[in-house]
Amino acid sequence: MLLAGTETTASQLSWTLRLLMAHPEVLAAVQTEIDAVLPDGRPARWDDLPRLPRTARVLTESLRLRPPGWVLLRTCTRETELGGRVLPRGAQVLLSPYVAHHNPRIFADPAVFDPDRWLPERAAALPRWGFAGFANGPRQCLGADYARTEAAIALATVLARWHPAPVPGRRGDDRPPRLTTVLRPQRLRLRPLARG
């Protein structure tokens, strides 16, 4: 249990930093929010999280665009109908949060990094099962709340003291992510610049 989720959270944070470097206006807004909550650059704590809603939206949007758990396997426990097909008991069904999260019938402009799509009034318009960053229903990841908390505390703590920047002279690695159990960038080269 102590080691569960380390690779997935690390992957989510890597994707988030990469997206923030590509969207400096969002990075600036997140750092402004963090500076207001952590003015001394101290590490973030649990009780800081309610005052970091923009940070939470950025992490959710990163999770939508690049869910570490990109594919899920489910077994039918009884005969069921799905999309007009009858599936027998025991049939294996492959589900992909990545595919669902990039479906324009669920998310407007699905390829666009838009953390504000998670503002409460906009998120309320999404279908109940449209976001599956941690799967859904009774098979949702047991550590979903822990992962959200861990990622928010880590991101706020890092961005309170450091500004991520590309490594000079190194071209960004835009190759498609390696499809392993966890969807992660193949290479993320950045340098942390001290803030303040």
Side-chain angles (χ1 to χ4, degrees):
M1 286 292 288
L2 292 175
L3 297 177
T6 55
E7 186 178 14
T8 51
T9 302
S11 176
Q12 182 190 10
L13 288 169
S14 295
W15 285 119
T16 301
L17 289 170
R18 187 176 195 163
L19 287 163
L20 288 172
M21 287 190 307
H23 297 87
E25 72 289 351
V26 177
L27 174 58
V30 169
Q31 285 182 314
T32 297
E33 175 183 80
I34 291 168
D35 291 347
V37 176
L38 309 172
D40 53 357
R42 69 171 168 77
R45 298 185 302 250
W46 167 262
D47 56 342
D48 296 318
L49 297 181
R51 298 186 333 255
L52 296 168
R54 183 179 303 272
T55 303
R57 289 194 310 271
V58 163
L59 286 162
T60 301
E61 181 66 351
S62 170
L63 193 58
R64 182 192 70 81
L65 281 170
R66 298 287 191 231
W70 66 279
V71 67
L72 306 168
L73 183 65
R74 297 293 182 256
T75 303
C76 294
T77 57
R78 58 183 161 76
E79 184 177 289
T80 190
E81 185 265 329
L82 178 66
R85 291 184 169 253
V86 175
L87 302 175
R89 180 175 189 258
Q92 300 284 308
V93 179
L94 196 65
L95 309 165
S96 176
Y98 182 92
V99 171
H101 294 173
H102 288 80
N103 184 335
R105 291 181 295 172
I106 299 172
F107 293 98
D109 300 317
V112 173
F113 178 62
D114 178 12
D116 285 344
R117 77 173 74 236
W118 299 104
L119 287 166
E121 61 275 11
R122 288 181 63 192
L126 295 172
R128 181 174 168 211
W129 298 98
F131 178 75
F134 297 98
N136 280 320
R139 300 283 298 176
Q140 180 175 347
C141 175
L142 177 66
D145 291 337
Y146 177 78
R148 286 183 184 275
T149 301
E150 178 185 30
I153 288 173
L155 185 65
T157 298
V158 167
L159 294 181
R161 300 192 67 184
W162 305 97
H163 181 85
V167 174
R170 293 277 188 167
R171 188 178 144 291
D173 186 357
D174 293 328
R175 290 179 289 179
R178 181 173 299 160
L179 294 180
T180 59
T181 304
V182 174
L183 183 65
R184 62 180 187 269
Q186 287 197 32
R187 184 175 296 149
L188 175 66
R189 294 186 185 274
L190 62 84
R191 58 189 176 131
L193 305 176
R195 297 181 67 215

